[in-house]
Amino acid sequence: MDPDSVKSTLSTLAFGNVMAAAARDYQKEVLSKDKAQTSSSVNVDFDLDELMDDPELEKLHADRIAALKKETEKRQELKKHGHGEYREITEGDFLGEVTGSEKVICHFYHREFYRCKIMDKHLKSLAPRHFDTKFVKLDAENAPFFVTKLGIKTLPCVILFRKGIATDRLVGFQDLGGKDDFSTKTLETYLLKKGIIKENKPDDDDDERDYDNGRRAVRSSAHSDSDSD
């Protein structure tokens, strides 16, 4: 046999032996992993069975269910009082609305004022995200008694009420940067500092796109409304 041919054959056989050995090692490794995973799965099932019989765990579960039920009932009750949306009220409704909830934000506005429309857009965006606070608006032209009583001279004027008492007010946009293109986030931060709304939890519904598009969308919409009047 040709020496080169012998060398080639031996080389092929050696390569084949190496591949066969590698295949065996790989098979052992796979079987070992499968066995470990099976063992782990059994242990997990066993631990879960033990936990399900744990009185402390059952109590935690029951407490969580009770808390969720209480929160749902609270939201339903708040919704009955007009929370969760930005609503128009009348002068006749005013006292009942601001005394009927612990925290109320009331926007005194004029239908034809461009800046009042800007404020409308932002408050409408915030109302569903801050369910504990009631958001309402009142046409200043149709509420002369309360406009005089509250000393309202400049619009938009947003008055913050706690237990029926006016605790603070936001007049125009001076505290929001003094410009028309302030963001919803800017207004939200202002209201948070005043304590009239509370900060949402990380898992609460908080659509950041409203903030990102706030300046452009609010201004565009307000202009559109103005043109159509």
Side-chain angles (χ1 to χ4, degrees), residues 202-224:
D203 57 347
D204 285 345
D205 176 37
D206 188 7
D207 191 350
E208 292 298 331
R209 286 174 298 180
D210 285 345
Y211 299 149
D212 295 337
N213 299 328
R215 294 183 175 85
R216 195 182 326 168
V218 169
R219 188 161 190 164
S220 175
S221 182
H223 271 304
S224 178

